């Protein structure tokens, strides 16, 4: 495609209607008027042949450009069509979100028929109150549902889910996680707290990607920095491992960090010390579908000193 010079612009309109192109004598025939107009613009008659050719090329280029613009407006390029099609499909999917709820409705009706109605006595009891034995703190990751993985039934587990299944220390102040912790331990009187980590955790990868001396301004970064101790310990213990291996190590180390943070809550530490409450860690590997479980050994753990470590017992692997 020919591109007009950036120093000037010509169009069909300007060539035919510019005042400098008007013939001074209306009686001149069109052919002479054309010659005069050309001379006025491009110079003497001696240069007329080359000028007319230049004029013709410019006119053809302009006409071609105009035709192409018209064609472009009528027939969008393939890429534009594809983008518009993709957008239309997305809008159509969003518009048909009711289809997802139709499916959800069928699942609910199936639950009501095959579970609720067949266990009506249980659900009538739960309608009056709950007394779960477990509090579970798990990741918000859609692939990690404690009830699906461990088969918790209604009324068996009080569940809190957050990014990277973290428990902030008591001194960090209120959050939805420790508010749930307070309710579960002091009001529901749960007997076990289980913190479940998992494979390929995005929150842990974000934590491992942070710099030690840089404060993050993102909400995710601010939250996962709760596990900074786990990151530091992982870095120290896995210097020879690649990033993915370091992340997997930190996924488990972060669970122990949360177990230690649980003991910073006075009412939790008291109940653990008195044997009224047990604290457990778990790790779900959804790549190999394996589960690892361990229990915090309160007597052997040394958490009073700076850099103290969590001691564990009753470690088990479920394949």
């Amino acid at each position: 495609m020919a591109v007009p010079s950036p120093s000037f612009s010509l169009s069909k309109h300007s060539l035919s209607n510019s005042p400098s192109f008007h013939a001074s004598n209306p009686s001149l025939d069109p052919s002479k008027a054309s010659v005069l107009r050309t001379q006025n613009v491009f110079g003497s008659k001696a240069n007329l042949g080359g000028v007319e050719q230049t004029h013709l090329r410019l006119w053809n280029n302009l006409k071609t450009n105009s035709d192409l613009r018209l064609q472009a407006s009528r027939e969008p390029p393939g890429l534009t069509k594809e983008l518009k099609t993709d957008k239309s499909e997305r809008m159509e999917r969003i518009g048909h979100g009711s289809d997802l709820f139709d499916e959800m409705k069928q699942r609910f009706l199936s639950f009501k028929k095959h579970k609720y109605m067949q266990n009506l006595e249980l659900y009538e009891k739960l309608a009056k109150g709950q007394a779960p034995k477990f509090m579970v703190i798990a990741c918000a990751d859609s692939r990690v549902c404690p009830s699906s993985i461990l088969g918790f039934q209604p009324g068996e587990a009080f569940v809190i889910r957050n990014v990277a299944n973290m428990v902030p220390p008591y001194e960090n102040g209120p959050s939805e996680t420790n508010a749930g912790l307070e309710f579960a331990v002091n009001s529901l009187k749960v007997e076990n707290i289980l913190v479940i980590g998992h494979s390929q955790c995005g929150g842990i990868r974000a934590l491992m990607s942070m710099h030690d001396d840089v404060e993050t301004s993102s909400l995710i970064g601010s939250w996962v920095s709760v596990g900074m101790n786990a990151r530091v310990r992982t870095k120290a213990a896995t210097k020879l491992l690649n990033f993915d291996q370091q992340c997997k190590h930190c996924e488990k180390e972060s669970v122990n960090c949360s177990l230690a943070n649980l003991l910073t809550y006075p009412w939790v530490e008291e109940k653990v010390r008195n044997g009224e409450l047990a604290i457990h860690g778990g790790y779900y590997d959804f790549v190999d579908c394996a589960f690892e479980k361990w229990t915090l050994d309160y007597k052997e753990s040394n958490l009073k000193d700076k850099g103290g470590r969590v001691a564990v017992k009753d470690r088990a692997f479920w394949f």
Side-chain angles (χ1 to χ4, degrees):
M1 180 186 295
V3 180
S5 170
S7 61
F8 65 92
S9 175
L10 293 177
S11 68
K12 184 177 179 182
H13 177 80
S14 62
L15 286 174
S16 59
N17 296 328
S18 174
S20 63
F21 285 82
H22 286 186
S24 58
N25 188 348
S27 64
L28 288 174
D29 67 309
S31 61
K32 292 182 180 180
S34 174
V35 172
L36 287 176
R37 285 196 298 269
T38 304
Q39 287 178 326
N40 287 339
V41 176
F42 296 106
S44 65
K45 186 175 181 180
N47 296 326
L48 186 58
V51 167
E52 286 181 340
Q53 291 179 2
T54 301
H55 185 182
L56 182 60
R57 285 196 300 270
L58 285 171
W59 174 254
N60 289 334
N61 287 340
L62 289 169
K63 186 175 184 300
T64 301
N65 290 343
S66 176
D67 292 343
L68 287 175
R69 285 194 296 270
L70 289 173
Q71 183 179 1
S73 66
R74 291 193 300 268
E75 299 179 5
L79 178 60
T80 304
K81 287 184 177 180
E82 291 176 5
L83 292 175
K84 288 185 177 181
T85 300
D86 291 343
K87 183 177 180 181
S88 299
E89 290 177 354
R90 288 197 302 271
M91 295 301 293
E92 185 176 357
R93 288 197 298 269
I94 294 173
H96 290 161
S98 58
D99 294 343
L100 298 176
F101 283 96
D102 288 341
E103 182 179 350
M104 195 180 298
K105 173 185 175 182
Q106 296 306 316
R107 293 179 184 179
F108 171 75
L109 294 178
S110 177
F111 157 78
K112 182 175 181 178
K113 178 179 179 181
H114 298 291
K115 293 185 177 180
Y116 185 91
M117 297 305 297
Q118 293 181 14
N119 298 278
L120 191 57
E121 184 178 349
L122 168 64
Y123 285 100
E124 288 178 343
K125 181 180 178 180
L126 291 175
K128 299 175 182 178
Q130 60 174 323
K133 302 295 183 183
F134 276 88
M135 177 184 184
V136 176
I137 300 173
C139 186
D141 193 302
S142 63
R143 300 165 291 183
V144 186
C145 176
S147 296
S148 296
I149 298 166
L150 301 176
F152 286 115
Q153 299 303 305
E156 291 184 346
F158 183 83
V159 180
I160 293 290
R161 299 180 68 176
N162 62 42
V163 174
N165 45 267
M166 291 187 173
V167 178
Y170 180 71
E171 58 267 21
N172 276 28
S175 71
E176 75 286 349
T177 298
N178 51 34
L181 176 65
E182 183 181 53
F183 177 70
V185 173
N186 293 336
S187 298
L188 298 180
K189 311 294 183 183
V190 296
E191 299 175 4
N192 300 275
I193 299 175
L194 173 61
V195 180
I196 304 175
H198 69 92
S199 57
Q200 300 185 7
C201 181
I204 295 299
R205 293 185 74 87
L207 172 65
M208 291 298 294
S209 300
M210 293 170 62
H211 297 287
D212 295 328
D213 56 348
V214 176
E215 292 186 5
T216 178
S217 60
S218 73
L219 295 177
I220 292 177
S222 298
W223 171 253
V224 299
S225 63
V226 166
M228 188 58 73
N229 286 341
R231 179 186 181 278
V232 171
R233 290 170 181 166
T234 295
K235 289 288 188 180
T238 61
K239 293 180 180 179
L240 301 180
L241 301 181
N242 62 38
F243 183 73
D244 289 338
Q245 292 170 326
Q246 289 180 340
C247 286
K248 185 167 186 177
H249 184 280
C250 191
E251 286 163 357
K252 297 181 182 182
E253 188 65 49
S254 178
V255 172
N256 283 335
C257 180
S258 288
L259 299 186
N261 286 344
L262 282 171
L263 294 177
T264 64
Y265 294 83
W267 63 86
V268 172
E269 195 271 340
E270 179 183 5
K271 289 181 180 296
V272 172
R273 185 177 66 250
N274 295 336
E276 302 173 36
L277 177 66
I279 295 178
H280 314 273
Y283 181 78
Y284 171 49
D285 186 340
F286 53 68
V287 177
D288 299 323
C289 195
F291 195 91
E292 183 178 354
K293 170 264 175 188
W294 60 93
T295 299
L296 178 139
D297 189 334
Y298 178 77
K299 293 182 179 180
E300 296 298 325
S301 296
N302 179 17
L303 302 175
K304 300 299 182 181
D305 298 333
K306 185 177 181 180
R309 299 299 299 271
V310 169
V312 301
K313 61 182 180 180
D314 302 332
R315 187 181 294 271
F317 298 87
W318 305 337
F319 296 98

